[in-house]
Amino acid sequence: QNQKSLLFEYALEKGWDIYNIYSDDDYAGSDRNRPAFNNLITDAENGRFDIVLCKSQSRFTRELELVEKYIHGLFSKWNIRFVSVVDYADTEIRGNKKSRQINGLINEWYLEDMSENIKSVLTNKRKNGLHIGAFALYGYKKDPNQKGHLIIDEEAAEVVREVFTLFAKGYGKTAIARMFNDRGIPNPTEYKRLQGFRYKSPKTRNSTLWRYFTISKMLCDEIYIGNMVQGKYASVSYKTKETRPLPKEKWIKVAGTHEPIIEMELWKSVQDSIRQKVKPFSSGKVGLFAKKAMCMNCGYTMRSSKVRDKHYLQCGTRHTAKGACMGSFISVKKLEGVVLQELQDMIRNYLDKTALEKQIVFNNKLDEQISKIQKKIFIHEKNIFECAKAVKNLYVDKVKCIITESDFIEFSRDFAEEKKRYEMMLIKDNEEIASLQNQAITVDNQQQIIEEYVNIQELSREIVERLIDHISISKKDPETKRLSIDIHWKF
């Protein structure tokens, strides 16, 4: 708020009209996905204003790469002047470029140093056996009296002990999951939700059910024997939130950091059983539709199986809970045939002259829709500008004692609410345009892909990965004996 007041007064002194305030509260300056920042870039490219005004260059960006790209590159091309008040960066002043570059370099160093410092602190905490994750593992909860320490959540721990005990007695992972689902025991995510603990939101339906993979992951986690295992992933760069998995030898493991739930004898017995059940003859190849085929009923990823040298896909939930899912099942060869047939049909339809003519009509309609929305956007932007201008005039009236402080606050609040309403309408219309533009891009992608795969006769994992987002498969209809298969293409 103080920064906004500073910039407001600076703009008034210069006699500049304020087009918009782009403010990303609670976002780091190194985050390239700041929504207001990206809106500013879009508006700059479209010539909505002439000047970008910041408190300091670092408030715009701390990355030297973006300083060069926008402040020294595209802003000049778009006739945009960049001004920062505190560090006197101004693209209109000759000889000021070196100062801006030095500022950018210092900010870049700051980001890198800060990233390394944070990483060093976190690594040190991990090496000292302190828990630094956002969520405590199922069976534990964060100690309210000691930061970085885990204590046993006895209710969940009883379930963990039962999982290990049942597996040691010879029960399979799917059988254990089915047993828990039959008894109505909430799975780890649902349990945390019911208890009011922090948890990671699931992406699939029927998220309250236990699954094979939940049991499998639990049986291999050393945290249950009192060892703190962290650092399984590392960030790719301080410029992105993307992470990559690290090999096991680089994980940070500290023994005896908290009370174990599982006794060592039971742990060793379970690990021996797991090793004995590993299939040594596995080819290690990724299946053709691995993580692409979903059960239409429950939304879970279908698991692969092999019977008499034939490969099948089946819904894993059908084996873990009675009545929870209809249970999709299909052979990989049949699914490959369906996918190939639909792809070939799309290619034939697209190459048909009539289809091409329809596509042109479709594109024209898209352009008409976009044009109508752009007119609405222009009106919204004009109204937003008028609201901002009204607030500026109110401020001048307050300074001149024409209106009182309380009147200024009341009127400003009304204009702010009105401005916010127009901004929400603007966001909605911009999202609609983006959606329509994506449809147009999709059409272009279709043509490129169709030209590339016009003579396709066989699928490969690379083709599936590139063309298919996911495939939904239903259970066979008892009367027609047919499956419903919905292929969600990426183009």
Side-chain angles (χ1 to χ4, degrees):
Q1 192 60 43
N2 290 334
Q3 290 182 48
K4 291 175 186 176
S5 298
L6 172 71
L7 298 176
F8 213 111
E9 291 183 21
Y10 188 90
L12 286 173
E13 289 173 7
K14 295 291 184 181
W16 296 341
D17 291 327
I18 298 172
Y19 170 74
N20 199 1
I21 298 175
Y22 300 87
S23 176
D24 282 307
D25 296 331
D26 300 323
Y27 280 84
S30 58
D31 191 344
R32 293 191 179 192
N33 294 319
R34 290 174 285 160
F37 175 83
N38 290 326
N39 289 339
L40 181 147
I41 296 301
T42 301
D43 289 349
E45 186 176 7
N46 292 326
R48 308 289 189 198
F49 47 75
D50 307 299
I51 300 169
V52 173
L53 179 65
C54 297
K55 178 191 173 186
S56 64
Q57 185 174 297
S58 64
R59 297 302 87 200
F60 178 75
T61 181
R62 286 190 182 274
E63 293 188 55
L64 185 58
E65 179 187 342
L66 296 187
V67 170
E68 292 298 326
K69 180 178 179 180
Y70 292 114
I71 298 178
H72 298 155
L74 292 173
F75 280 3
S76 298
K77 179 181 177 182
W78 299 335
N79 293 318
I80 302 289
R81 177 183 175 187
F82 179 84
V83 178
S84 64
V85 178
V86 175
D87 48 9
Y88 307 107
D90 189 343
T91 52
E92 197 173 70
I93 300 174
R94 288 188 176 184
N96 194 250
K97 184 176 181 181
K98 289 181 181 179
S99 174
R100 295 192 301 272
Q101 287 176 325
I102 291 170
N103 286 340
L105 188 58
I106 292 171
N107 287 324
E108 182 86 16
W109 288 341
Y110 170 81
L111 273 183
E112 190 172 3
D113 289 345
M114 183 173 65
S115 174
E116 289 302 317
N117 289 338
I118 292 172
K119 194 181 296 183
S120 176
V121 169
L122 294 179
T123 300
N124 188 55
K125 286 184 176 182
R126 291 187 181 111
K127 288 181 177 179
N128 287 327
L130 296 176
H131 179 266
I132 62 171
F135 317 103
L137 183 68
Y138 177 73
Y140 288 97
K141 55 187 176 182
K142 294 185 176 182
D143 188 341
N145 301 317
Q146 185 179 346
K147 194 171 183 180
H149 183 246
L150 296 178
I151 57 175
I152 292 177
D153 175 9
E154 198 53 50
E155 185 178 347
E158 278 301 313
V159 179
V160 175
R161 294 186 189 104
E162 189 174 2
V163 169
F164 278 82
T165 302
L166 288 171
F167 189 80
K169 288 181 178 179
Y171 286 87
K173 298 167 188 175
T174 300
I176 296 172
R178 183 171 60 245
M179 190 182 302
F180 286 177
N181 289 328
D182 290 345
R183 285 161 51 187
I185 298 175
N187 72 355
T189 303
E190 180 64 8
Y191 173 79
K192 289 182 180 181
R193 188 187 70 80
L194 294 172
Q195 296 294 322
F197 298 154
R198 293 188 67 185
Y199 66 96
K200 189 175 181 180
S201 299
K203 296 180 180 179
T204 55
R205 300 190 299 273
N206 288 340
S207 58
T208 61
L209 296 176
W210 287 84
R211 294 194 294 158
Y212 172 92
F213 299 107
T214 309
I215 302 294
S216 180
K217 188 176 179 181
M218 182 180 290
L219 291 169
C220 297
D221 204 319
E222 287 190 42
I223 289 182
Y224 290 122
I225 56 171
N227 297 341
M228 187 62 70
V229 184
Q230 299 179 105
K232 296 180 180 180
Y233 294 84
S235 60
V236 175
S237 165
Y238 66 90
K239 295 184 178 183
T240 175
K241 292 181 179 179
E242 186 180 345
T243 60
R244 64 172 183 270
L246 294 177
K248 279 191 175 182
E249 59 268 19
K250 290 190 177 183
W251 294 0
I252 299 174
K253 182 165 67 175
V254 182
T257 60
H258 53 274
E259 186 181 353
I261 292 176
I262 303 302
E263 297 296 330
M264 188 56 68
E265 186 179 347
L266 177 57
W267 170 265
K268 289 180 178 178
S269 173
V270 165
Q271 302 315 305
D272 288 341
S273 297
I274 290 173
R275 281 191 290 270
Q276 290 170 10
K277 292 185 178 183
V278 171
K279 299 177 181 178
F281 50 85
S282 175
S283 66
K285 291 183 179 179
V286 177
L288 187 62
F289 297 105
K291 295 187 178 181
K292 293 290 183 181
M294 312 285 184
C295 174
M296 192 176 288
N297 183 59
C298 69
Y300 279 131
T301 303
M302 296 176 71
R303 291 168 51 192
S304 62
S305 60
K306 186 177 180 181
V307 180
R308 296 175 186 173
D309 295 327
K310 291 185 179 180
H311 295 273
Y312 297 89
L313 293 168
Q314 59 181 331
C315 174
T317 311
R318 63 185 284 180
H319 299 295
T320 59
K322 292 179 180 178
C325 180
M326 301 292 288
S328 304
F329 185 89
I330 190 173
S331 73
V332 172
K333 189 170 184 179
K334 181 176 181 179
L335 182 57
E336 182 181 6
V338 171
V339 173
L340 265 175
Q341 186 63 53
E342 185 166 323
L343 181 59
Q344 290 167 349
D345 288 344
M346 284 195 297
I347 290 171
R348 278 195 296 272
N349 290 335
Y350 192 88
L351 294 177
D352 181 76
K353 184 178 179 181
T354 306
L356 283 173
E357 290 172 352
K358 289 179 180 178
Q359 201 65 64
I360 293 170
V361 173
F362 171 74
N363 283 335
N364 289 338
K365 287 183 178 179
L366 274 183
D367 291 338
E368 289 176 13
Q369 287 178 274
I370 291 172
S371 179
K372 287 180 181 178
I373 297 170
Q374 283 174 335
K375 289 177 182 177
K376 288 166 62 180
I377 286 174
F378 177 77
I379 294 171
H380 297 331
E381 289 175 339
K382 184 179 178 183
N383 289 332
I384 291 169
F385 172 77
E386 292 297 333
C387 289
K389 186 176 180 182
V391 173
K392 184 191 75 170
N393 292 335
L394 281 172
Y395 183 82
V396 173
D397 290 343
K398 187 197 77 165
V399 172
K400 293 179 179 179
C401 298
I402 297 173
I403 61 173
T404 64
E405 178 77 24
S406 59
D407 286 339
F408 171 74
I409 293 171
E410 182 182 348
F411 296 149
S412 296
R413 187 184 296 115
D414 292 339
F415 281 119
E417 289 176 357
E418 188 74 2
K419 181 171 175 282
K420 187 174 182 180
R421 187 171 68 85
Y422 287 125
E423 285 172 343
M424 294 301 293
M425 294 166 68
L426 183 64
I427 290 170
K428 184 180 177 182
D429 287 339
N430 276 323
E431 287 175 348
E432 193 171 347
I433 280 188
S435 175
L436 292 172
Q437 288 173 337
N438 284 338
Q439 290 183 46
I441 292 170
T442 299
V443 171
D444 294 335
N445 289 342
Q446 281 179 336
Q447 184 173 358
Q448 180 184 348
I449 289 171
I450 282 166
E451 289 173 356
E452 188 172 343
Y453 296 108
V454 68
N455 295 316
I456 186 171
Q457 297 296 323
E458 186 179 0
L459 292 179
S460 66
R461 177 62 192 178
E462 288 74 22
I463 293 174
V464 170
E465 191 66 48
R466 181 184 179 191
L467 302 186
I468 298 174
D469 182 69
H470 68 278
I471 305 170
S472 295
I473 303 167
S474 73
K475 184 185 176 183
K476 186 181 291 185
D477 187 285
E479 294 182 3
T480 63
K481 306 297 181 185
R482 291 185 178 181
L483 291 168
S484 178
I485 300 173
D486 291 342
I487 304 170
H488 297 259
W489 302 93
K490 286 185 177 178
F491 60 93

